[in-house]
Amino acid sequence: MQLSESFKNFNIESIKNVESNMHTTKVVNAFKSYFGDKPDHLVKAPGRVNLIGEHTDYNNGFVFPCAIEFYTYVGISRREDLCVEIIALDLNDQDTFSLEEHLTPHPTKTWVNYIKGVINELTKLGKNLSGFNLVICGDIPQGAGLSSSASLEVAVAKAISKLHSYKLNRIKLAQIAQAAENNFVGCNCGIMDQLISACGIRDNAIAIDCNSYTLTKVTFPKDLAIMIVDSSVKRGLVESEYNLRREQCEQVADYFSVKSLRQVPLDVFNSEKARINPTLVKRAQHVLEENQRVLAMIGALNIHDLPSISRLMAESHQSLKTLFEVTVPEVDYLVKIISEELGSECGVRMTGGGFGGCIVVILPQSRVDALIPIIKDKYKQEMGLDASIYLSTPAQGVKALF
Ligand code: GLA
C-alpha cells in the first residue's frame, strides 16, 4: 500500500514535469517559427484553487488558497521597434499593437486586454517599455474558475519585468496584475488569485490576510489529496454578478462608516442587522462568518483534523449558496454527491467566484480512485453533463524558466 501510493505520486509528478517540458518546447518552437529565434525568457505562472475564504479578499479578509500544477507559459523577446506582437497558441489567435498609441481595450479579443492591462499598469509606474514579442500557451482549464486570467496577468508581468530587468517583488507583481484586471478588463476582483499565482509555495496552502498582505504557509498533508471537479458550467466574472456582490459588501461597510467589512466585528454587526436591508445582511453575514471559518480551517489543516475540515467546508458552501447566492444547481449537486459518499471523511465546497465553475474536495489519497467514477456517473445521469476531474498538489508560484 505504502509503496503503491508513493509510486502513484511519483507518476503524477513525472507527468507534470513532462507537461512542463512539452509546453516549454511548444513555446520555443512557435517562437522560432513566428519570430525566427528562441525567446529571450520563458515564464510560467500557476492557476489556483481556493480551499476556503470565498468573497472575503475584496473585503480585506482572510483567504486560504494554493497554487495548482496547471500553468500559463509566456515566452518573450525584445524587439527593436515599439510594437508588441502576441501569438496565443491555444486560441489560434494573434494581435499586434504599438506602445506609442494610447492603449484601449480590444472589443472582441478579450484575452488581449489582460496583457494590455499589465502594460498599462507598468507604464503608470513610470516604466519605459521597449517593444516585445510574446508567445502564450497553457493548460489551465479556461472559464472554470481556476484563475487562468490571473495567471496570464502574473506571467506577463513577470516576463516583461524579466526582459527589462525590473526589480519587482512577488507582491508587487500581483498588485500590478490585479490592477490590470480592475482598471482595464473591468472586473473588480480582489487580490487572492494574483497573489497566490505569484506567491504559491510547493506543497503548501497559503493563508493570506488581505488587509496586511501577510502570507502564512501551511504544509498540505501528504496523505490528503486535492481534487478539483469542474461542473463544466462556464462562468464569466464580468458578466456575472461579481461586481454587484462587491458593491453590496461595500454598502454595508459604508453603513458602519468603515473602509471594509474586515473592520466590522461580528457581534456589532449582529446587534445592528435588523436595521439593514435584508439582502445586504445576507452578503455581509457570509463574509464575516467566512473569515472566522478560514482561521479555524488553518488550525484544522495544521493538525490534519479532517472532521473539522469537513464541517467548515460544508458550512462555507451552504453560506455561499444561501447567503451569498453564488452557487448553481450543478455545483450544489456535485457537492451533494461527494458529501453523501464520503461524509466527514472529506471536505467539499464550491471554489472561486461562483456562478458555475469548480468544486474543491480534500480527501484521503486512498479514497481518490474509487470516487472518480462515482462522481462522473452520477453527475452525467442527473445533469446530463460531463464532470472533468483534476488532481494537484500545491504548486510553486510564478517562475522564470530561463
Ligand atoms: C474570483 C476573484 C477573487 C475572489 C474570488 C472569490 O476568483 O478573482 O478575487 O474574490 O472570486 O473568493
Side-chain angles (χ1 to χ4, degrees):
M1 188 62 196
Q2 214 39 35
L3 235 186
S4 77
E5 282 306 318
S6 47
F7 189 59
K8 199 158 95 189
N9 286 339
F10 172 76
N11 270 339
I12 290 176
E13 191 145 314
S14 48
I15 290 168
K16 289 293 169 195
N17 282 339
V18 170
E19 279 172 5
S20 180
N21 292 340
M22 203 180 78
H23 284 101
T24 304
T25 310
K26 197 169 156 184
V27 172
V28 170
N29 287 345
F31 236 96
K32 284 182 186 158
S33 75
Y34 282 101
F35 304 118
D37 204 353
K38 73 179 195 49
D40 296 340
H41 302 288
L42 180 72
V43 166
K44 69 172 185 175
R48 68 95 187 91
V49 66
N50 190 17
L51 305 180
I52 199 162
E54 224 62 86
H55 290 274
T56 44
D57 61 348
Y58 54 81
N59 292 298
N60 290 355
F62 302 106
V63 293
F64 198 18
C66 59
I68 53 174
E69 306 258 18
F70 295 85
Y71 301 88
T72 300
Y73 296 78
V74 173
I76 192 166
S77 66
R78 191 181 293 275
R79 290 173 66 107
E80 295 310 317
D81 59 13
L82 282 173
C83 281
V84 174
E85 192 170 345
I86 316 165
I87 311 290
L89 287 179
D90 303 324
L91 303 176
N92 203 11
D93 204 357
Q94 60 191 85
D95 197 47
T96 309
F97 52 88
S98 167
L99 293 173
E100 284 168 307
E101 292 160 16
H102 172 68
L103 296 185
T104 50
H106 197 293
T108 50
K109 289 185 194 184
T110 46
W111 61 268
V112 177
N113 296 334
Y114 298 101
I115 299 155
K116 284 185 169 176
V118 169
I119 295 172
N120 216 31
E121 292 305 322
L122 285 167
T123 310
K124 280 192 208 167
L125 290 176
K127 308 286 184 197
N128 276 324
L129 269 55
S130 71
F132 52 87
N133 296 320
L134 290 182
V135 170
I136 299 168
C137 73
D139 57 9
I140 306 174
Q142 304 284 306
L146 298 176
S147 294
S148 53
S149 35
S151 79
L152 172 60
E153 293 153 359
V154 170
V156 168
K158 174 76 182 177
I160 298 176
S161 307
K162 181 95 182 149
L163 187 73
H164 294 81
S165 306
Y166 298 149
K167 296 272 169 279
L168 298 170
N169 67 33
R170 289 172 183 271
I171 291 183
K172 191 68 197 163
L173 282 179
Q175 287 173 320
I176 290 167
Q178 181 202 17
E181 185 136 352
N182 291 169
N183 302 332
F184 208 86
V185 179
C187 175
N188 268 330
C189 65
I191 190 79
M192 171 173 70
D193 305 348
Q194 291 80 6
L195 212 45
I196 190 67
S197 182
C199 304
I201 299 176
R202 197 185 145 128
D203 295 332
N204 285 267
I206 311 288
I208 305 172
D209 178 342
C210 299
N211 199 37
S212 60
Y213 286 17
T214 309
L215 281 69
T216 310
K217 60 181 183 148
V218 178
T219 308
F220 194 83
K222 285 260 183 262
D223 56 334
L224 297 180
I226 300 171
M227 181 188 274
I228 300 162
V229 186
D230 183 358
S231 66
S232 73
V233 177
K234 292 284 173 224
R235 49 191 297 283
L237 274 182
V238 184
E239 294 77 25
S240 77
E241 299 203 21
Y242 185 93
N243 289 351
L244 173 62
R245 292 296 183 283
R246 183 169 181 157
E247 278 164 34
Q248 290 169 331
C249 292
E250 285 165 359
Q251 282 177 43
V252 182
D254 283 350
Y255 177 90
F256 287 98
S257 306
V258 289
K259 199 169 117 251
S260 74
L261 281 180
R262 174 69 180 278
Q263 277 83 47
V264 182
L266 190 52
D267 55 340
V268 173
F269 170 75
N270 281 333
S271 61
E272 196 62 24
K273 67 184 182 191
R275 282 177 280 281
I276 306 175
N277 167 305
T279 303
L280 299 188
V281 167
K282 288 204 281 183
R283 306 299 187 243
Q285 189 161 343
H286 162 76
V287 172
L288 298 181
E289 292 173 352
E290 184 82 347
N291 276 334
Q292 301 201 331
R293 283 190 283 270
V294 176
L295 299 178
M297 177 85 163
I298 298 167
L301 197 66
N302 249 324
I303 56 166
H304 305 200
D305 175 0
L306 203 45
S308 296
I309 292 173
S310 178
R311 177 180 51 78
L312 292 163
M313 289 176 77
E315 286 173 8
S316 171
H317 184 82
Q318 192 58 23
S319 177
L320 288 156
K321 180 181 173 190
T322 58
L323 298 178
F324 219 69
E325 298 178 285
V326 291
T327 71
V328 296
E330 293 84 351
V331 162
D332 293 334
Y333 183 65
L334 282 171
V335 168
K336 182 166 173 278
I337 301 172
I338 295 164
S339 46
E340 278 174 5
E341 205 56 42
L342 293 185
S344 64
E345 270 197 86
C346 81
V348 52
R349 56 180 287 278
M350 63 150 267
T351 185
F355 306 103
C358 292
I359 64 159
V360 58
V361 195
I362 298 178
L363 73 168
Q365 293 278 6
S366 57
R367 305 298 296 264
V368 169
D369 289 351
L371 186 64
I372 292 175
I374 297 174
I375 300 172
K376 283 187 169 279
D377 291 351
K378 290 197 171 171
Y379 191 59
K380 181 81 178 181
Q381 219 170 15
E382 181 75 15
M383 295 292 170
L385 291 169
D386 291 310
S388 305
I389 300 183
Y390 309 101
L391 294 165
S392 180
T393 48
Q396 194 66 30
V398 67
K399 186 175 174 187
L401 299 174
F402 59 82

